[in-house]
Amino acid sequence: MGFIFVVASIAAALIHLAIRRSKDRAEIIDIFLLHSLVFNVGFVGLFFGFIPHVFFADYAAQIIGWETGSRFQYEVGFHDGAWGILGLLCIWNRDRFWLATGLGWSFFMLGAAYGHLLDTVQNANYAHNNFFMIFVDALIAALLLGLLALRYWHATRKAASAT
């Protein structure tokens, strides 16, 4: 399901660009990055992390292929919820806040992808919400890191050409 938010972030950015009709590369990169942060950090953190792990912990564990009854679910849920809040705050806070949110969430997503991969290899856990999340988590991290790199690269080139 997290893949839906990747697609939604791109679709929302394209709609935003169609309405704005901007041709400025920096603004285009920022629009894609903003929507990626809001959807892939904010919504994913809240709707696929916080809510299921806190309010439906046993069900979340079952669909991932984990044991039920672990209090660790609440820690994971509140962790994801905190990042979800940061992702939504990106609507109003920009610049280094985006960098911190994007880098932090990407680090977590890469770690989560690795954890799902290990669980698949070591425990033959091919539950849909375990195995498929290897790819979704890695995709979200790659998308965010790529957009952050583009933003930095473009700003660096713009500053160099101004001197």
Side-chain angles (χ1 to χ4, degrees), residues 79-138:
H79 168 270
D80 288 351
W83 283 104
I85 291 167
L86 294 176
L88 293 179
L89 286 173
C90 287
I91 295 169
W92 301 281
N93 300 289
R94 299 191 186 269
D95 300 320
R96 291 180 187 225
F97 191 85
W98 282 10
L99 178 64
T101 302
L103 287 176
W105 186 251
S106 294
F107 182 74
F108 170 63
M109 287 284 95
L110 290 172
Y114 180 70
H116 289 297
L117 178 63
L118 281 180
D119 198 26
T120 300
V121 171
Q122 293 176 347
N123 302 316
N125 181 357
Y126 288 94
H128 178 75
N129 283 5
N130 184 66
F131 181 73
F132 189 62
M133 294 312 294
I134 297 166
F135 307 101
V136 173
D137 291 351

Side-chain angles (χ1 to χ4, degrees), residues 16 28 40 68 73 82 84 109 112 123 130 144-146 155 158:
H16 190 155
I28 292 168
N40 299 314
T68 59
Q73 290 275 19
M109 287 284 95
N123 302 316
N130 184 66
L144 284 169
L145 292 171
K158 191 174 181 179

Side-chain angles (χ1 to χ4, degrees), residues 7 10 13 16-17 24 37 40 46 49 57 62 71 76 81 86 91 96 108 115 118 125 127-128 138 140 146 157 160:
V7 173
I10 294 168
H16 190 155
L17 287 170
D24 179 61
L37 288 164
N40 299 314
L46 290 172
Q62 287 174 347
R71 295 308 234 166
V76 169
L86 294 176
I91 295 169
R96 291 180 187 225
F108 170 63
L118 281 180
N125 181 357
H128 178 75
I140 289 172
R157 277 192 57 178

Side-chain angles (χ1 to χ4, degrees), residues 22-96:
S22 177
K23 302 234 189 279
D24 179 61
R25 285 184 186 169
E27 185 177 11
I28 292 168
I29 293 166
D30 278 0
I31 288 170
F32 275 99
L33 181 57
L34 170 65
H35 287 282
S36 188
L37 288 164
V38 170
F39 281 87
N40 299 314
V41 181
F43 291 163
V44 168
L46 290 172
F47 296 114
F48 285 98
F50 176 70
I51 291 172
H53 287 293
V54 171
F55 298 105
F56 308 100
D58 285 344
Y59 176 72
Q62 287 174 347
I63 63 173
I64 298 171
W66 294 348
E67 290 185 32
T68 59
S70 172
R71 295 308 234 166
F72 184 69
Q73 290 275 19
Y74 294 103
E75 289 184 37
V76 169
F78 278 96
H79 168 270
D80 288 351
W83 283 104
I85 291 167
L86 294 176
L88 293 179
L89 286 173
C90 287
I91 295 169
W92 301 281
N93 300 289
R94 299 191 186 269
D95 300 320
R96 291 180 187 225

